[in-house]
Amino acid sequence: MLMPDVDADKQNKLIDPFGRTVDYLRVSVTDRCDFRCVYCMAEEMTFLPKADLLTLEELDVMCRRFMAAGVRKIRLTGGEPLVRRNIMQLIESLGREVKAGNLDELTITTNGSQLSKMAGDLAVAGVRRINVSIDTLDPEKFRRVTRWGDLNKVLLGLEAAKEAGLSIKINAVALRGENDDELGNMLAWCGKRGFDMTIIEVMPMGDIGTENRLDQYLPLSRVRASLARRFTLKDIPFRTGGPARYVTVEETGQKLGFITPLTHNFCESCNRVRVTCTGQLYMCLGQDDNADLRAALRQGGPEALDASIYEAIGRKPQGHDFIIDRRQSGPAVSRHMSVTGG
Ligand code: SAM
Ligand code: SF4
């Protein structure tokens, strides 16, 4: 693999026109997935041709160029990152940079289906924290929401991850009429196991077939009010530079995050950008403007890639325009979350 120099120099930092430093990169390593969650994908998905995807070597170079520009945290996501063939190669390569102190953190967002096989290897490679997405603890509902998922397999994966010493945060999307009555029990369940939890509002991304976003949409203000009847929630100043606002749950001592991109403005402190599995750099999850880093890398090599990255950060927008609107039935952003990465 190519190993560009990753010495971060202050002058090289990625600073956008609003003075925000970009030091967090999310990378979607595949658009494919072994689940078909109803809010994320249609049941019949047409995935991208393999040749369009960045190779593992290209992903590695891309991450390293961002590190050279001051990125300190990388999250691998998808699609399901752990179903990409030979993904451990990339994880081990970036994990070495964590061990060498060139990267603060390498994290992964996963549906958990492969964890029972892979958790040990992830920990050895240098991953310390993972986010696992589980929207319900009811096996029937889990099958309905994910269409293809097996809750038991995911729970075994969580055990393996815990055993391997990984810190775990559970991501749950709040779905009206599906898990709204269950989020309190899930929070208590997380508390017992030492897991933090984040509840996410449904975002209008990508065509999902017959399902209607308005039917799924549940404002987190309602979720929070209902949880506050059962738990003592204390606001804390903890921030990750992203759209989550955190509380501690006094009864369990764990953190609970609320991601409310539709009802809350979080853009002023945004520190992140996203690269899709085809190498498109999105400066904002909620905007379509992007830069074609794959073309830059394939046609001009790492120097052209650098130039393209800095140029794109120079047009990172101030904020997003998400709305779930009764007059507009289609998605506000046409690409799927699985392409951009959640
Ligand atoms: N497959 C992995 C997983 O499920 O964790 C990683 C990719 S998934 C796209 C990342 C996160 O985005 C998951 O927590 C998922 O629940 C969330 N997500 C997907 N589509 C969403 C949508 N339309 N609105 C809100 N969250 C969504
Ligand atoms: Fe797959 Fe994750 Fe999307 Fe579910 S949310 S379909 S697990 S990419």
Side-chain angles (χ1 to χ4, degrees):
M1 279 193 195
L2 273 172
M3 304 283 267
D5 185 13
V6 290
D7 276 352
D9 170 337
K10 258 201 176 137
Q11 282 158 3
N12 292 342
K13 278 195 171 172
L14 297 170
I15 299 179
D16 79 0
F18 303 95
R20 296 168 298 189
T21 301
V22 174
D23 57 7
Y24 179 13
L25 176 68
R26 292 183 158 216
V27 185
S28 174
V29 298
T30 176
D31 62 330
R32 290 172 167 71
C33 187
D34 52 342
F35 291 5
R36 290 288 182 280
C37 301
V38 293
Y39 48 79
C40 180
M41 292 193 182
E43 186 152 22
E44 299 295 330
M45 289 290 288
T46 310
F47 291 112
L48 296 160
K50 289 232 164 86
D52 286 1
L53 300 191
L54 294 176
T55 64
L56 291 172
E57 287 77 7
E58 287 171 330
L59 283 164
D60 195 52
V61 172
M62 193 91 55
C63 290
R64 285 165 184 280
R65 294 322 304 167
F66 274 97
M67 285 159 61
V71 160
R72 299 293 309 173
K73 181 171 167 185
I74 296 179
R75 177 176 295 280
L76 303 182
T77 175
E80 176 45 42
L82 299 183
V83 300
R84 169 118 194 210
R85 237 170 92 154
N86 298 327
I87 190 64
M88 280 313 298
Q89 266 178 30
L90 177 68
I91 295 174
E92 282 162 4
S93 167
L94 296 175
R96 280 194 286 277
E97 298 302 331
V98 175
K99 292 175 187 169
N102 295 324
L103 195 58
D104 293 337
E105 215 177 18
L106 173 65
T107 57
I108 294 174
T109 301
T110 172
N111 65 23
S113 67
Q114 310 300 311
L115 278 178
S116 45
K117 287 195 301 238
M118 296 176 77
D121 291 344
L122 293 177
V124 170
V127 175
R128 301 194 185 111
R129 287 195 312 128
I130 53 172
N131 287 1
V132 184
S133 304
I134 302 182
D135 304 319
T136 170
L137 290 169
D138 172 329
E140 293 282 302
K141 259 195 217 175
F142 189 83
R143 171 72 70 181
R144 191 160 68 231
V145 172
T146 61
R147 293 200 184 97
W148 297 359
D150 175 354
L151 178 64
N152 199 37
K153 206 168 152 193
V154 174
L155 296 181
L156 289 173
L158 280 178
E159 273 175 38
K162 229 182 135 182
E163 206 143 290
L166 297 173
S167 296
I168 297 165
K169 182 160 83 175
I170 301 297
N171 279 353
V173 176
L175 298 166
R176 189 163 84 184
E178 197 63 84
N179 64 1
D180 29 4
D181 55 344
E182 217 198 316
L183 292 168
N185 287 346
M186 287 183 71
L187 185 60
W189 180 89
C190 286
K192 273 195 199 130
R193 286 157 183 79
F195 303 160
D196 288 334
M197 180 174 178
T198 299
I199 303 178
I200 310 172
E201 228 165 48
V202 174
M203 291 181 244
M205 295 190 71
D207 186 1
I208 50 168
T210 52
E211 311 276 335
N212 184 334
R213 305 274 182 202
L214 269 178
D215 294 342
Q216 298 175 342
Y217 181 60
L218 172 63
L220 292 198
S221 48
R222 290 234 303 266
V223 172
R224 183 174 172 154
S226 137
L227 292 175
R229 284 195 284 278
R230 178 164 162 196
F231 299 93
T232 318
L233 307 180
K234 282 248 163 76
D235 282 308
I236 48 169
F238 180 75
R239 295 273 187 280
T240 60
R245 292 292 174 264
Y246 288 89
V247 298
T248 46
V249 183
E250 275 207 346
E251 288 77 0
T252 67
Q254 295 301 132
K255 278 204 281 290
L256 168 65
F258 295 97
I259 301 191
T260 57
L262 304 175
T263 54
H264 206 279
N265 205 321
F266 56 86
C267 304
E268 71 284 349
S269 61
C270 182
N271 63 348
R272 58 198 58 194
V273 291
R274 296 170 162 82
V275 174
T276 67
C277 50
T278 54
Q280 261 53 49
L281 171 65
Y282 282 92
M283 289 70 82
C284 172
L285 181 62
Q287 300 272 7
D288 276 328
D289 186 30
N290 65 83
D292 189 352
L293 301 187
R294 183 187 62 191
L297 179 62
R298 288 188 181 169
Q299 287 155 26
E303 291 75 29
L305 174 59
D306 283 351
S308 186
I309 292 172
Y310 282 98
E311 188 277 324
I313 298 299
R315 50 191 167 87
K316 182 168 161 64
Q318 192 165 12
H320 68 66
D321 303 325
F322 278 133
I323 38 168
I324 288 187
D325 188 331
R326 285 187 188 279
R327 285 156 299 172
Q328 185 196 341
S329 55
V333 170
S334 57
R335 63 190 189 275
H336 284 93
M337 183 77 102
S338 48
V339 172
T340 324

